[in-house]
Amino acid sequence: MKTNRYPAFGVLLVDDEPAFLRSLSIVLERRGGINHIVQCQDSRDAMAIIEQENIGLVLLDLTMPHLSGEVLLQQIKTEFPEVGVIIISGLNQVETAVNCIRLGAYDYFVKTTEENRLIEGVKRAILLQEMREEHNALRRRFLTDTLERPEAFGDIITRDKGMRSVFQYLESVAPSSQPVMVCGESGVGKELIARALHTLSERAGPLISVNVAGLDDNVFADTLFGHHRGAFTGADKPRAGLIEQAAGGTLFLDEIGDLSQASQVKLLRLIQEGEYYPLGSDRPKRLNARIVVATHQNLVQKQQSGEFRKDLYYRLKTHQVDIPPLRQRRQDIPLLLEHFLQEAADELGKTKPTIPKELPVLLANYAFPGNIRELRALAYDAMSQHRSRMLSMEVFRRVLDQDNDVSEMAAGNSLTMFDPEQPLPTLQEMGDLLIQEAMRRAEGNQSLAAKFLGISQPALSKRLKKSQPE
């Protein structure tokens, strides 16, 4: 089983004192949650380790035999400029510190300095390195327009360019340990995005999902943090919270915009401190899961109105993806319709029917307020009522007729209501739409429908036969 390590790259500690190497490793692991650590006692071996291992950050002592820290710093920045370096010295020398920063070091710490400051400095450097790697990966993918792991998105049916950009971004941020915020209207498939991100991260632990909407503060704390026996009335035995269940994996919190103010404070502390207390316990546990959140709400407006904490918002939006609504992905509608009809046919034990070619044209001009979830419901409803070889459009028409713009278009009163960003239907397709509307109004009477259209009944019969599948 793969061991989940934070960060995704190695942190190299270079110091000639074995005792300091051991104590620093323990501090970084226990208090900083950093467990991808490589130790080096001989500064002459450091360059080979950086070349062989996936090292992203070096913590470097200044005063060492063989190669001094300043000399090694210059070698690292010359041969591996993408590797970050932090200087840790036993001496508080301002001039030396300034020179190290000038040579490219992130920061300079004195060994006797408070541990909290050192840990925060290392975590800050890790974040900067992760952001640099993500930027480079994202730039590379956009320039080449490639996906390295397309199979991770196999459950997401799309050929939309905007969604492809989302996939490229997800591939770039997947190795990071920072939170990810997934934004989008209800029904666009935010949980599928969370699953794809979890797959891309290759984390050893599971994906644990919870909808936090409607959870009061006590239930939220118990759900996430768990409790010890006797923590409250009815707590007859200990229970692990979802954070512990997601250890080494991903914790997905859906509808984060509905979280109460008190629960927002608890979540903020969890992210900031990287630890939590199960209810009834005075011993903290480390957060060992990547947090992914989702919302359909506008959190910018909610924070401006005081309903959502600004500090939590900025913690969560370190990485943010916006999923476009279905009305902006109209070329995906035929693909999704085919998929859901086949899915419904398999579930109901029926044969998937032929789709009228006018149906995708009609659906392309519907706003889909419920997005993909609404299209799926329509497909299942139509499939449950299906009886003939050709799929009936009645289920779809009932919904479309509730949309005033589409109704006016179908009645011929507003033929300019097509989406300006999409290609216009062909004359053949428009003719088929008008015939379908005339037949609907005539309740299947071809003679009456022909009068509506101003053509002869034989001409109408000929057009209807041509529109039938072979």
Side-chain angles (χ1 to χ4, degrees):
M1 185 176 183
K2 180 179 176 179
T3 300
N4 194 63
R5 298 188 293 182
Y6 164 73
F9 50 77
V11 177
L12 176 63
L13 312 184
V14 185
D15 198 295
D16 61 314
E17 300 178 17
F20 181 73
L21 282 176
R22 285 195 301 271
S23 63
L24 182 57
S25 296
I26 292 171
V27 167
L28 292 176
E29 185 168 357
R30 291 183 179 177
R31 300 191 57 190
I34 301 165
N35 54 28
H36 194 169
I37 297 173
V38 181
Q39 297 183 13
C40 174
Q41 190 176 336
D42 190 331
S43 58
R44 293 173 297 183
D45 299 331
M47 296 299 289
I49 294 174
I50 295 173
E51 186 173 5
Q52 294 167 10
E53 304 280 345
N54 178 27
I55 300 297
L57 180 65
V58 179
L59 274 60
L60 181 61
D61 183 28
L62 271 188
T63 309
M64 294 181 292
H66 310 302
L67 282 177
S68 71
E70 283 190 70
V71 172
L72 188 53
L73 169 61
Q74 293 180 62
Q75 290 184 6
I76 293 173
K77 298 314 292 184
T78 299
E79 297 186 32
F80 304 100
E82 72 284 358
V83 175
V85 180
I86 289 179
I87 300 297
I88 302 180
S89 174
L91 300 174
N92 188 358
Q93 297 177 319
V94 175
E95 185 178 342
T96 303
V98 171
N99 187 52
C100 289
I101 300 298
R102 183 180 60 80
L103 291 172
Y106 270 145
D107 215 333
Y108 182 104
F109 294 98
V110 180
K111 288 184 179 180
T112 55
T113 302
E114 185 182 2
E115 287 181 353
N116 288 341
R117 183 169 171 268
L118 173 61
I119 293 170
E120 289 305 313
V122 173
K123 291 170 71 174
R124 185 167 57 250
I126 288 173
L127 175 59
L128 289 172
Q129 282 296 100
E130 287 180 337
M131 292 176 67
R132 175 184 290 181
E133 289 190 0
E134 290 157 13
H135 172 76
N136 291 337
L138 189 60
R139 183 172 179 271
R140 183 176 65 253
R141 288 180 175 89
F142 279 142
L143 287 176
T144 59
D145 193 27
T146 58
L147 288 175
E148 294 180 3
R149 298 276 307 282
E151 72 280 359
F153 308 101
D155 292 336
I156 304 175
I157 299 170
T158 184
R159 59 185 177 196
D160 180 70
K161 290 183 179 179
M163 289 298 293
R164 185 177 180 83
S165 296
V166 168
F167 295 167
Q168 290 172 330
Y169 180 78
L170 290 175
E171 283 192 339
S172 300
V173 304
S176 170
S177 58
Q178 300 300 313
V180 177
M181 182 188 296
V182 184
C183 300
E185 296 177 6
S186 293
V188 294
K190 295 187 287 293
E191 186 165 358
L192 289 178
I193 292 294
R195 289 179 192 170
L197 182 60
H198 174 71
T199 300
L200 289 168
S201 71
E202 296 186 327
R203 291 176 171 263
L207 169 67
I208 301 295
S209 304
V210 58
N211 189 319
V212 300
L215 297 184
D216 64 32
D217 185 50
N218 291 330
V219 175
F220 174 79
D222 187 34
T223 300
L224 258 64
F225 306 145
H227 62 256
H228 279 201
R229 180 180 178 183
F232 50 84
T233 303
D236 299 327
K237 56 184 179 180
R239 185 178 69 82
L242 296 185
I243 297 174
E244 188 171 343
Q245 295 177 37
T250 304
L251 178 62
F252 176 54
L253 306 178
D254 200 4
E255 301 299 351
I256 198 71
D258 294 320
L259 204 60
S260 70
Q261 287 279 348
S263 296
Q264 289 177 35
V265 173
K266 289 183 171 62
L267 181 58
L268 175 63
R269 288 175 180 168
L270 172 69
I271 297 173
Q272 284 185 161
E273 305 299 330
E275 60 183 27
Y276 64 98
Y277 290 85
L279 300 183
S281 172
D282 58 358
R283 299 182 62 181
K285 291 188 174 184
R286 294 294 310 173
L287 169 65
N288 187 24
R290 208 270 185 83
I291 293 180
V292 178
V293 302
T295 181
H296 71 280
Q297 301 194 40
N298 188 326
L299 293 189
V300 174
Q301 292 181 357
K302 294 204 72 170
Q303 62 159 307
Q304 289 173 348
S305 65
E307 298 176 79
F308 201 86
R309 294 181 64 95
K310 289 185 178 180
D311 43 9
L312 177 59
Y313 172 74
Y314 289 114
R315 285 282 184 176
L316 293 174
K317 76 179 297 289
T318 303
H319 303 303
Q320 179 176 333
V321 290
D322 295 281
I323 312 304
L326 186 56
R327 60 182 172 274
Q328 294 177 11
R329 299 164 45 191
R330 298 189 187 277
Q331 60 182 331
D332 287 345
I333 293 175
L335 297 176
L336 290 164
L337 181 62
E338 288 274 2
H339 172 75
F340 291 138
L341 285 174
Q342 185 63 64
E343 190 177 73
D346 293 342
E347 187 173 316
L348 296 170
K350 295 183 176 182
T351 301
K352 185 174 80 69
T354 301
I355 299 175
K357 56 186 178 181
E358 312 88 56
L359 182 56
V361 179
L362 279 177
L363 295 180
N365 289 279
Y366 176 56
F368 279 104
N371 290 290
I372 297 172
R373 187 180 295 130
E374 181 181 10
L375 177 57
R376 182 181 186 276
L378 288 173
Y380 267 70
D381 191 19
M383 199 64 224
S384 65
Q385 300 179 43
H386 169 63
R387 295 291 182 272
S388 61
R389 190 159 60 100
M390 178 72 74
L391 181 68
S392 171
M393 292 177 55
E394 287 308 306
V395 168
F396 301 95
R397 286 192 180 279
R398 283 199 301 269
V399 175
L400 295 175
D401 286 347
Q402 295 173 7
D403 184 85
N404 291 332
D405 292 342
V406 176
S407 296
E408 289 177 3
M409 180 192 72
N413 295 327
S414 183
L415 292 177
T416 62
M417 294 306 294
F418 294 103
D419 187 339
E421 298 182 0
Q422 300 295 323
L424 287 169
T426 65
L427 291 175
Q428 176 69 37
E429 290 171 337
M430 281 303 302
D432 291 338
L433 284 172
L434 289 172
I435 289 172
Q436 286 290 325
E437 179 63 19
M439 289 293 291
R440 185 180 72 87
R441 294 189 176 197
E443 298 182 347
N445 186 314
Q446 289 190 18
S447 178
L448 183 58
K451 291 181 180 178
F452 287 156
L453 294 168
I455 60 177
S456 65
Q457 184 176 345
L460 175 59
S461 298
K462 185 177 180 180
R463 284 293 301 272
L464 287 172
K465 288 180 180 178
K466 285 180 64 176
S467 65
Q468 296 293 322
E470 296 295 332

